[in-house]
Amino acid sequence: MSLGTPEALRHLRRDPVLKGVIRQVGPFTMKPARRQPYEALVRAIAHQQVHGRAAEAILGRFLGRCECAGFPSPEAVLALTPEAMRACGLSANKVLAIRDIAEKAAAGAVPTRTEARRLTDEELIERLVTLRGVGRWTVEMMLMFTLGRPDVLPVDDFGVREGYRVAAGLAEQPKPRALAEIGEAWAPYRTTASWYLWRAADLAKEGRFRQPKAI
């Protein structure tokens, strides 16, 4: 099932809140990156709690230190000393997390893209949250932006909840459980719905979202 299909948009437009968001945002433009789950998780750890440009600079130094063509293999990462990784700008906790991911990937605990196709979203979440530094949100981002899974709603994500708040004209963000219940009607296209809610939050931050009356 592809993302942002005409069928998905027709389904989501039945929701009065999402209908207004889709009209304002326009075409769906999200394109998942075809990376291996291992690479996606390492990149996610590098970006945790760091501004995007700073994270990319740190990641660039780290990749350069590995001296590999393409993204370094788990074995190449493990060949680096923790001190060399720290010298790239990675925190001690991130070094431990990346090394744990590399160790588990080398042992086959992190599935490849091909292996992941045989696992459900929840099976992947259950399997990968055992890795150091990897929580449910991190796996959900991988499901959406790496594997292109069509029905993921990251209810703990600030941007998704903020997007719904502004789109629905609410005074406060819905709690994760409440948003999960609201989002049941968006299945099986909740990834597309999430992307539109992120865009609604972006427009609101820029002062360009046409605010509905509070409800």
Side-chain angles (χ1 to χ4, degrees):
M1 185 183 296
S2 299
L3 303 175
T5 62
E7 293 80 8
L9 297 182
R10 279 197 297 270
H11 179 76
L12 297 176
R13 285 192 183 101
R14 296 172 187 166
D15 184 291
V17 172
L18 286 180
K19 181 179 180 179
V21 174
I22 293 169
R23 183 170 57 247
Q24 289 194 55
V25 172
F28 181 88
T29 59
M30 172 183 156
K31 294 182 179 180
R34 293 189 58 81
R35 293 171 174 150
Q36 292 293 335
Y38 151 73
E39 177 181 349
L41 292 174
V42 172
R43 287 179 178 275
I45 294 296
H47 277 80
Q48 284 178 356
Q49 299 177 325
V50 179
H51 187 274
R53 289 183 180 178
E56 283 298 318
I58 293 170
L59 190 59
R61 290 194 292 271
F62 167 65
L63 296 179
R65 187 64 67 96
C66 290
E67 297 181 349
C68 298
F71 198 83
S73 66
E75 293 76 13
V77 171
L78 294 173
L80 293 177
T81 65
E83 291 74 21
M85 296 173 69
R86 286 293 307 276
C88 298
L90 294 165
S91 69
N93 284 336
K94 289 186 178 183
V95 169
L96 291 172
I98 290 173
R99 294 185 70 83
D100 185 59
I101 292 169
E103 288 172 0
K104 299 300 195 312
V110 178
T112 63
R113 287 185 67 93
T114 300
E115 292 168 342
R117 293 194 189 102
R118 299 192 291 268
L119 300 172
T120 67
D121 294 351
E122 286 301 322
E123 285 172 339
L124 283 166
I125 290 170
E126 183 178 353
R127 181 165 169 174
L128 295 176
V129 294
T130 60
L131 303 174
R132 187 182 183 109
V134 176
R136 183 182 182 91
W137 180 88
T138 300
V139 183
E140 288 172 335
M141 295 303 105
M142 184 202 73
L143 290 172
M144 299 170 77
F145 292 100
T146 300
L147 299 180
R149 294 292 176 94
D151 198 30
V152 181
L153 178 60
V155 296
D156 294 310
D157 186 271
F158 178 90
V160 169
R161 287 188 285 122
E162 178 65 8
Y164 190 83
R165 184 194 71 78
V166 299
L170 302 176
E172 297 181 352
Q173 292 185 359
K175 299 297 184 184
R177 182 176 295 180
L179 185 59
E181 292 176 356
I182 293 167
E184 288 178 2
W186 307 336
Y189 306 110
R190 284 176 284 193
T191 297
T192 299
S194 299
W195 183 85
Y196 274 103
L197 292 176
W198 273 316
R199 301 290 75 74
D202 290 342
L203 288 176
K205 188 175 181 180
E206 297 167 4
R208 297 194 294 121
F209 190 84
R210 295 190 294 276
Q211 191 73 36
K213 294 181 180 179
I215 57 175

